[in-house]
Amino acid sequence: MSIQEHCFVNTTGSTFKVLVIDDSNTIRRSAEIFLKQGGHEVTLAEDGFDALAKVNDYQPHLIFCDILMPRLDGYQTCAIIKRNARFAGVPIVMLSSKDGVFDKARGRMVGAQDYLTKPFTKDQLLQAVQQFGAVTQGVN
């Protein structure tokens, strides 16, 4: 079993909670399967408004957020989540089919910690959880 396949358990002993925001059903389901195979708890949101409704109740440890979505795009969603003091410290990884320097810079400007280009692999997704899970829990 590789390091990415180990279940990340936070310091309270509970499963790591991940919120995946993407308007593509295929991307949401792929991410859910990969993350659950990694032993993580997953909640899905189909757009920014759906995510904002769920983030407060779910209180994720990490958020994956698509950039191009209808109504409220990923940059706006990220900025709104980061403005809430309760969630300002939650790492957000932007997801996009575009791999431009401008897109990455704009993501950082609204508070995103990282950027994954779609289509992503199971290993890329789980590695991001490992990386930001350790940061969130104060372990390196």
Side-chain angles (χ1 to χ4, degrees):
M1 187 182 278
S2 74
I3 234 167
Q4 289 91 359
E5 291 171 336
H6 284 284
C7 173
F8 181 86
V9 178
N10 66 26
T11 53
T12 61
S14 60
T15 311
F16 199 68
K17 297 194 302 189
V18 182
L19 174 62
V20 178
I21 312 163
D22 200 299
D23 60 324
S24 162
N25 188 49
T26 305
I27 295 291
R28 282 195 314 272
R29 295 295 169 209
S30 296
E32 179 181 35
I33 290 165
F34 293 160
L35 291 164
K36 284 187 173 179
Q37 286 173 347
H40 308 296
E41 187 179 316
V42 183
T43 292
L44 304 174
E46 60 189 43
D47 62 33
F49 286 110
D50 189 23
L52 295 175
K54 291 179 177 176
V55 75
N56 200 45
D57 292 336
Y58 184 61
Q59 298 185 24
H61 299 112
L62 174 65
I63 299 170
F64 287 100
C65 184
D66 183 24
I67 292 174
L68 297 173
M69 296 185 290
R71 302 194 306 159
L72 194 65
D73 72 21
Y75 299 123
Q76 295 165 315
T77 303
C78 181
I80 291 168
I81 291 169
K82 289 293 187 175
R83 275 198 296 264
N84 183 325
R86 250 176 103 191
F87 304 109
V90 175
I92 298 179
V93 176
M94 303 305 280
L95 301 173
S96 180
S97 51
K98 299 193 296 184
D99 192 19
V101 174
F102 174 76
D103 299 304
K104 291 180 182 182
R106 189 167 172 208
R108 294 228 188 257
M109 286 172 56
V110 294
Q113 274 67 36
D114 205 357
Y115 190 101
L116 270 184
T117 305
K118 297 189 285 187
F120 46 77
T121 66
K122 176 181 174 182
D123 282 347
Q124 287 173 313
L125 210 58
L126 294 178
Q127 194 165 356
V129 175
Q130 287 288 102
Q131 178 185 349
F132 293 107
V135 170
T136 304
Q137 302 305 322
V139 179
N140 272 334

